[in-house]
Amino acid sequence: MTSVKIVAVSIDNALSRASEEELYAGLTSIEGLEIESAIMLASAESHAPGEVDGPEYFAYVAEGKYKKGSIADLRSAVAVREDVLLAGYEVNVVDPKLSEDDKKLLVLDVDSTLIQQEVIDELAARAGRGEQVASVTEQAMLGEIEFEHSLRTRVGVLEGLSESTLDEVAAGITLNPGATLLVKTFLDAGHAVAAVSGGFVQLLRPVAQKLELSHARANVLEVIDGVVTGELLGDIIDGDAKCHALHEWAKEEGVKNAHVIAVGDGANDILMVEAAGLGIGYNSKSALAEVADARIETARLDAIRHFVGL
């Protein structure tokens, strides 16, 4: 039998602890699944500085055995039942070994994952090209166009922006609900937290400093005499580079791949999500959702801590 951990999340504020019985019944109706222990946890709204308030959510955390195959097989079985017996919950199956005391590495995409904004769209709006660039960004996140070409095209329209505009946009960045709590929980437990972005280091740096991240990496906008040139410096942070950063940081931190968690939302995050011991889609586009091990579609990033027992 395979040991399994199940984390079911719901943001339905009408749910109560009585719904625990309904969820238990839905899960145990899956042939071969035996629940040995379970707990329902309620999480109050987030009021951390720099975050918008998020909804209350319920996390049902269960552990047990699956007789019919692997964790991947159980994920498939859950997916078949989710729309009927498990409606109202996002049900994720993870390896219970993730909850062990081993050091972990959490790697977060930035735009639309760690933060609410797509910063290149915000910058383009300041340049008067917001709608045009937002459309290209959406295509890139869906995997419909090649990332580096789309990035250079979008960066080109930023030519002439003042460096002070970068500071203004950086000051307006809003963390996703639960981001501060998620990062603090991992760091306080002795784990490492990193952010890797296809955006720009000039906007990621203040976020990384505020959250005291272990590592951060992003593209570098060229700025000469206080003006953005529309060019990039150094290597492009694309999907391959994100995956490379994940492996580099895991080695540096001495973290086994099985204890690496990667979180993203778009096609540019597929490689690092696939490379991680646990790959999570956060309000993800379909291309990433298809390959992610788990998902969070609620507006509470901190729900991820329940996957690893924090």
Side-chain angles (χ1 to χ4, degrees):
M1 291 191 293
T2 303
S3 294
V4 296
K5 179 177 179 178
I6 297 167
V7 181
V9 178
S10 175
I11 60 170
D12 184 349
N13 287 324
L15 288 174
S16 68
R17 293 181 183 276
S19 64
E20 205 170 335
E21 295 181 7
E22 181 181 338
L23 184 55
Y24 178 84
L27 288 171
T28 53
S29 71
I30 297 173
E31 185 180 359
L33 177 60
E34 296 179 353
I35 304 296
E36 298 172 337
S37 64
I39 186 171
M40 182 79 86
L41 302 170
S43 183
E45 291 186 357
S46 168
H47 297 285
E51 293 184 0
V52 300
D53 293 343
E56 182 179 21
Y57 70 85
F58 290 89
Y60 181 82
V61 183
E63 294 200 27
K65 304 287 186 182
Y66 186 56
K67 299 178 180 179
K68 306 289 287 185
S70 66
I71 286 175
D73 294 325
L74 179 55
R75 285 175 180 149
S76 297
V78 165
V80 171
R81 300 297 189 90
E82 217 164 355
D83 291 341
V84 182
L85 295 174
L86 306 174
Y89 294 90
E90 296 159 12
V91 182
N92 296 286
V93 183
V94 300
D95 192 332
K97 291 181 181 178
L98 274 168
S99 297
E100 295 175 352
D101 290 336
D102 302 64
K103 185 174 182 179
K104 304 178 211 328
L105 168 66
L106 173 65
V107 182
L108 297 158
D109 170 52
V110 179
D111 294 28
S112 296
T113 301
L114 180 61
I115 67 173
Q116 294 196 6
Q117 293 82 5
E118 289 284 342
V119 294
I120 195 165
D121 296 351
E122 300 288 323
L123 293 171
R126 302 294 184 101
R129 304 286 288 278
E131 290 187 10
Q132 173 189 343
V133 168
S135 175
V136 177
T137 299
E138 179 70 9
Q139 288 178 289
M141 292 303 98
L142 290 170
E144 295 175 352
I145 55 178
E146 194 270 331
F147 180 80
E148 180 173 349
H149 173 72
S150 74
L151 177 63
R152 292 191 183 279
T153 299
R154 288 175 287 164
V155 168
V157 310
L158 305 182
E159 181 181 2
L161 277 183
S162 66
E163 189 171 19
S164 62
T165 301
L166 302 183
D167 296 333
E168 292 169 6
V169 171
I173 285 175
T174 306
L175 296 170
N176 265 314
T180 298
L181 178 57
L182 175 67
V183 172
K184 185 177 187 303
T185 299
F186 267 77
L187 292 177
D188 286 352
H191 306 305
V193 183
V196 60
S197 176
F200 311 115
V201 70
Q202 288 94 335
L203 288 92
L204 174 57
R205 187 182 297 118
V207 174
Q209 291 173 342
K210 176 181 179 180
L211 294 176
E212 300 182 342
L213 298 181
S214 312
H215 306 275
R217 186 171 297 172
N219 294 298
V220 182
L221 285 170
E222 182 181 59
V223 178
I224 297 178
D225 296 329
V227 177
V228 176
T229 68
E231 300 292 335
L232 294 166
L233 298 175
D235 296 332
I236 297 296
I237 306 300
D238 56 8
D240 286 321
K242 287 186 172 188
C243 187
H244 175 78
L246 179 149
H247 288 300
E248 176 187 329
W249 292 330
K251 183 177 180 180
E252 183 177 336
E253 295 288 346
V255 176
K256 301 174 184 176
N257 188 71
H259 293 109
V260 176
I261 303 100
V263 189
D265 73 299
N268 193 37
D269 302 312
I270 287 176
L271 293 178
M272 76 169 188
V273 164
E274 289 183 319
L278 178 67
I280 303 172
Y282 179 73
N283 293 320
S284 53
K285 305 295 188 298
S286 58
L288 179 63
E290 289 175 2
V291 303
D293 300 315
R295 71 189 194 283
I296 290 290
E297 305 298 334
T298 69
R300 288 299 298 270
L301 196 63
D302 59 299
I304 290 169
R305 73 189 194 276
H306 298 301
F307 293 171
V308 297
L310 295 177

